[in-house]
Amino acid sequence: MELKQFQEAYERLKRGRRGEPSWLRILRDGAKDFFLRNGFPASDNDAWRHTDLSAFRELPFTPGEDAALISPGELKVLQDKAGKNFILVMNGKLMREYSTIEPGVEVMGLEEAIREKPELVEPHLGQCGASGAEAFNALNTVFFRSGLFFHVPEDMTVKEPLQVVFLADPAKEHATFFLRNLVVIGEGSKAALAETYLSGNGRGYFSSAVTEVFLGKNAILDHVKIAKENAKVFHFASTRTLLRHASSFSSFTLLTGGRLARNECHAVLDEEGAACALNGLYLSDGDQLLDQQTFVDHRKPAGKSHQFFKGLMAGNSRGVFNGKVVVRQDAQKTDAHQTYKGLLFSDAAQVDAQPQLEILADDVQCSHGVAIGQLEEDAIFYLRSRGIGEKEAGRMLAQGFALEVIERSGVQRYKDELISLIDEKLSEQLGNRKG
Amino acid sequence: MLEIKDLHVSIGGTEILKGIDLKVGAGEVHAIMGPNGSGKSTLTRVLAGHPSYIVTKGSATYEGKDLFQMPVEERARQGLFLAFQYPIDIPGVNNAYFLKAAVNEMRKAKGLEELDAMEFLEFLKEKMKTVEMDESFLNRPVNEGFSGGEKKRNEILQLAALSPKLAILDETDSGLDIDALKTVAEGVNRLRSPKRSFILVTHYQRMLNYITPDHVHVLMGGKIVLSGGKDLAFKLEEKGYEWVKQD
C-alpha cells in the first residue's frame, strides 16, 4: 500500500461519512495527517527494527467494503460452542442474530454507539493515550468502519466472560479489515473479555484491530486475546488500556496465526495504585513472523505491572519481543517486572528480544529479564530415560514451556481452551520439525 | 542380566572409562565405589544412553541384546532404569503427567493396556507410600523447586512406579540427611527381588549400612581395580581409597 493509494481510499471513504459527528472527523483527520507526514515505520524506527514490512507493503491492500461468505449454519456452530455472552463480529459487523448477551451489559456496534451514545464514546475513543501516535494505530483511526462498543455501568459484575469472535471472511484476496473496539468499565465493576480473531477462508488480508480499554476507579478487567488467522494474513493490532485509581487489568495474548502478526499491549497507569499483568505466548512456524510489543507507562505512585511473555519458534519463523516500561518521576513505589523467554525449535528460527526500562523515580522495584534457549539435551535425555520417545519428549518440554506462562497468568477460566490451541499449534510445529 | 566387557568411553575426546568388565546376575545388588572423578557417573550414564558419551571400545550386553544398539527410550522400556545423581528440572511439566506418560510407555512395551487418569492415580498413591512422598508433589512441575532430598525421593518413586529389571542408582545417597537416606534405602530394599538387579554407585559406604550389597567393586582411574563382598565396603570406609592404591 502506497501513500497515494492511501489518500485515494481516504477521499473515497470520506464521501460516505458525511453523517459522522465533527469530533470524529477531527480525530480521523488528525490521524490522516499524522500518517501522511510519517508514512509506514522505517527500519530505523526502534520499535520496528526487527519487523520487516516489505512483504506487507508490496501487496495491493486497499481499504474498502467487503462481503460475507460464510454460511449461517457454520455461524451457528461457532455460537453453540461459545455458550453465554457470545458475540460474533463478521467482517467488522456485529451479527446480533448470532450473539447472546447477558442483560444489563451494553454491547453494540461502534458505529451505532457513535450515533446513540456519543456521551460515552467521544470522551474515550482515541483518548487512551499518550503511548504516542503510531502508523498502524493512525491507519485504524482513519479507516475503521465498525467494531464493538462494550460498556459496563458502575458497580456491576458481569458474571459470564464476554466472548467475541472476530471472523474475517473476505470474498477476494487483499481485503482489509479495520476494527475498532471500545471497552468502558465503570467504577467498581468487574468483567472479563475474550477476543478471538479467526479467518473464515484461506484468502490473505490485512487485519487491523485496535481495542481501547478504560477502567474506572477500582474496576477489574480480565482480557484474553487469541489471534489464529490463516498463514497469509497480516495482523496489526493493539490493546490500549487506561487505568484509573486502583483499577486492575490482566491480560493474556496467544498468537499462533498469520504470516505477520504484531500485537501491542499498552497500559497507562494514570492514577495511584493501578495494577496490570500482561502475559502472553506466541508459537510460530514456517515463514511466520510473530511480534509482541508492550508499553507500560507508570505515571502515578504505587502502581504495579507484571509482564511475562514467551515465544516458541520453529521452522524458518521469527519471533520478536519488545517490552518497554517507563516509570515517571511521580510514580514512586512502583513495582514493575518484565520477563521474556524464547525457545528455538530449529536452527533456522530466530528471535529478537529487547527489554527497555526507563526509570525516572528513585523509590521503585523494577526488573527485567530475557532468556533464549533451545530444548535442553539433558531434559530430553531425562524424559527418554523414562521410556518416553524423543519426539514426545520434545513435545512435552515445549508444552511445559508454554504452560508455565498460562499457569502464571491467572487465566484459569480459559486454561483448557488455551491448552488445546497450544497443543494444536505444537503438533504443527513439531510435525514439520526435522529428526 | 548385564555383562560389560572391556568398556572404553570418552567424552569430548577425553577417555574416562578405560576397560571395564562387570557381570551382574538377576537379583544381585552390586555396589560400585570410588573417589571423585573415577568414572562412576560416566558408567551409569553410558549404560542409560546419554548422547554426550562415546563408546570407543568394548560391549555391554543386556538380557542377551547389544545395549549400545538400543535408543535411550528403548533401554528404559526394556527395563533399565537410572536414578540420576542430579535429577533434571522440567518446568511446566506436571509430575503426575510425566509419571503417567512414563508408566504407560512401560506398559505399552509389555503389551499391557495403558492406565487412565483414575487408575493411574490409584496405582501411584500406593507407590508414594513406599517413599513417604506427599501427594502435593504430583501437581508440581517435575523436580522444579524440589529440595535435594525431594528430588532423590522422586527418583525412587519413579523406580517404584516403573519397576525396572535393572536399576542403576547414581549417588542416590549424596545430599541426603540421615532420615531421608533411611527412607530411600527402605524404598530400595522393598523393591529388591530375585528378578530385579541393582547397581548402586556411591562415594561413601554409609548407604551400604542400609542396603546390603552382594558384591562391591572399586572403580579408580576408569577401571575396576578391586572387587569383593560386602566387607570390602567397610574396609574402604576405614582405610580410605589410598589403601587400594597402595595395595
Side-chain angles (χ1 to χ4, degrees), chain A residues 384-400:
Chain A
R384 290 179 73 195
S385 79
R386 300 307 184 238
I388 295 162
E390 189 169 9
K391 207 163 183 172
E392 176 61 12
R395 197 196 62 79
M396 275 174 86
L397 290 176
Q399 193 194 46

Side-chain angles (χ1 to χ4, degrees), chain B residues 53-124:
Chain B
Y53 296 87
I54 295 162
V55 176
T56 52
K57 197 178 167 197
S59 67
T61 312
Y62 173 68
E63 292 200 302
K65 284 178 242 165
D66 180 355
L67 187 68
F68 298 139
Q69 290 302 314
M70 294 157 78
V72 179
E73 55 270 33
E74 196 49 38
R75 298 180 199 195
R77 290 170 193 165
Q78 296 298 322
L80 187 146
F81 178 87
L82 170 64
F84 283 55
Q85 182 182 5
Y86 301 110
I88 312 289
D89 293 12
I90 316 278
V93 177
N94 175 298
N95 209 19
Y97 176 72
F98 157 68
L99 284 166
K100 178 167 168 270
V103 166
N104 278 333
E105 287 295 346
M106 300 302 157
R107 293 181 66 89
K108 269 195 276 182
K110 288 178 189 154
L112 298 170
E113 286 223 1
E114 292 183 40
L115 299 178
D116 66 25
M118 289 305 288
E119 292 166 337
F120 174 73
L121 217 59
E122 287 287 302
F123 164 84
L124 197 64

Side-chain angles (χ1 to χ4, degrees), chain B:
Chain B
M1 177 81 57
L2 178 72
E3 187 168 8
I4 301 170
K5 279 185 185 162
D6 193 27
L7 180 62
H8 291 250
V9 174
S10 296
I11 181 165
T14 308
E15 186 170 63
I16 308 286
L17 298 184
K18 299 169 180 168
I20 302 270
D21 290 282
L22 181 68
K23 207 170 167 177
V24 178
E28 293 176 358
V29 176
H30 289 245
I32 295 179
M33 300 181 69
N36 289 330
S38 58
K40 302 189 301 288
S41 281
T42 298
L43 178 62
T44 67
R45 284 183 211 153
V46 80
L47 291 175
H50 194 289
S52 300
Y53 296 87
I54 295 162
V55 176
T56 52
K57 197 178 167 197
S59 67
T61 312
Y62 173 68
E63 292 200 302
K65 284 178 242 165
D66 180 355
L67 187 68
F68 298 139
Q69 290 302 314
M70 294 157 78
V72 179
E73 55 270 33
E74 196 49 38
R75 298 180 199 195
R77 290 170 193 165
Q78 296 298 322
L80 187 146
F81 178 87
L82 170 64
F84 283 55
Q85 182 182 5
Y86 301 110
I88 312 289
D89 293 12
I90 316 278
V93 177
N94 175 298
N95 209 19
Y97 176 72
F98 157 68
L99 284 166
K100 178 167 168 270
V103 166
N104 278 333
E105 287 295 346
M106 300 302 157
R107 293 181 66 89
K108 269 195 276 182
K110 288 178 189 154
L112 298 170
E113 286 223 1
E114 292 183 40
L115 299 178
D116 66 25
M118 289 305 288
E119 292 166 337
F120 174 73
L121 217 59
E122 287 287 302
F123 164 84
L124 197 64
K125 277 180 184 167
E126 197 57 42
K127 304 290 177 192
M128 290 187 82
K129 280 185 206 151
T130 63
V131 288
E132 294 173 21
M133 238 172 121
D134 192 83
E135 278 180 39
S136 66
F137 281 89
L138 294 180
N139 296 318
R140 285 167 55 181
V142 181
N143 295 325
E144 199 185 44
F146 285 28
S147 72
E150 287 164 351
K151 285 185 182 181
K152 296 294 170 79
R153 276 183 211 202
N154 203 29
E155 293 293 289
I156 303 304
L157 173 64
Q158 292 170 43
L159 169 62
L162 302 179
S163 68
K165 293 175 196 160
L166 173 62
I168 303 165
L169 276 61
D170 186 7
E171 308 249 5
T172 298
D173 52 333
S174 68
L176 292 185
D177 63 34
I178 196 72
D179 292 329
L181 179 65
K182 274 186 188 169
T183 311
V184 165
E186 278 163 25
V188 170
N189 282 329
R190 256 190 290 254
L191 292 165
R192 283 181 79 158
S193 92
K195 286 182 182 164
R196 182 173 294 133
S197 312
F198 284 87
I199 298 175
L200 310 175
V201 169
T202 179
H203 185 97
Y204 301 104
Q205 174 269 340
R206 65 174 197 154
M207 184 164 66
L208 306 180
N209 287 334
Y210 304 99
I211 308 169
T212 312
D214 301 307
H215 303 273
V216 175
H217 310 275
V218 181
L219 183 63
M220 285 176 91
K223 282 183 172 180
I224 289 178
V225 293
L226 191 62
S227 294
K230 63 177 187 230
D231 297 339
L232 181 54
F234 294 110
K235 210 164 171 185
L236 282 169
E237 182 72 5
E238 190 190 323
K239 298 190 172 181
Y241 288 110
E242 283 302 310
W243 157 75
V244 183
K245 275 189 200 164
Q246 284 157 15
D247 240 35

Side-chain angles (χ1 to χ4, degrees), chain A residues 81-284:
Chain A
K81 262 166 88 172
K84 275 186 214 159
N85 273 356
F86 173 78
I87 292 147
L88 178 68
V89 176
M90 190 160 76
N91 294 346
K93 190 171 183 296
L94 169 63
M95 309 292 281
R96 281 205 184 273
E97 62 274 41
Y98 297 103
S99 305
T100 39
I101 301 159
E102 192 176 319
V105 182
E106 220 163 2
V107 178
M108 59 180 83
L110 184 63
E111 68 283 21
E112 187 187 345
I114 290 167
R115 278 195 316 270
E116 310 291 330
K117 303 268 173 190
E119 73 285 1
L120 280 170
V121 179
E122 187 186 344
H124 294 116
L125 193 70
Q127 306 306 317
C128 232
S131 38
E134 189 274 321
F136 283 89
N137 196 43
L139 269 183
N140 186 284
T141 302
V142 174
F143 288 121
F144 80 80
R145 228 174 49 232
S146 56
L148 215 60
F149 174 67
F150 173 32
H151 175 231
V152 181
E154 289 181 8
D155 297 317
M156 178 176 173
T157 297
V158 182
K159 287 186 202 77
E160 297 291 330
L162 207 68
Q163 303 190 67
V164 191
V165 169
F166 296 95
L167 182 67
D169 200 32
K172 57 179 194 326
E173 284 285 338
H174 309 128
T176 57
F177 297 98
F178 291 94
L179 287 162
R180 185 63 160 252
N181 304 308
L182 182 60
V183 179
V184 180
I185 311 290
E187 198 176 308
S189 286
K190 195 177 167 186
L193 169 68
E195 301 177 42
T196 302
Y197 292 82
L198 299 175
S199 304
N201 63 48
R203 293 191 182 90
Y205 55 87
F206 166 24
S207 158
S208 160
V210 174
T211 297
E212 291 178 286
V213 177
F214 291 82
L215 293 176
K217 188 178 170 185
N218 296 321
I220 296 172
L221 182 70
D222 288 335
H223 181 251
V224 168
K225 175 186 168 161
I226 297 165
K228 48 170 293 197
E229 290 160 298
N230 78 51
K232 286 162 87 178
V233 171
F234 290 86
H235 179 91
F236 295 93
S238 63
T239 304
R240 290 158 187 262
T241 305
L242 189 84
L243 292 100
R244 300 287 185 213
H245 188 90
S247 63
S248 159
F249 177 70
S250 66
S251 79
F252 187 89
T253 305
L254 176 67
L255 308 176
T256 60
R259 177 168 170 189
L260 192 172
R262 176 176 168 112
N263 187 64
E264 303 183 1
C265 291
H266 291 214
V268 178
L269 284 66
D270 204 37
E271 291 181 8
E272 198 165 337
C276 72
L278 309 178
N279 302 286
L281 171 70
Y282 52 76
L283 303 101
S284 59

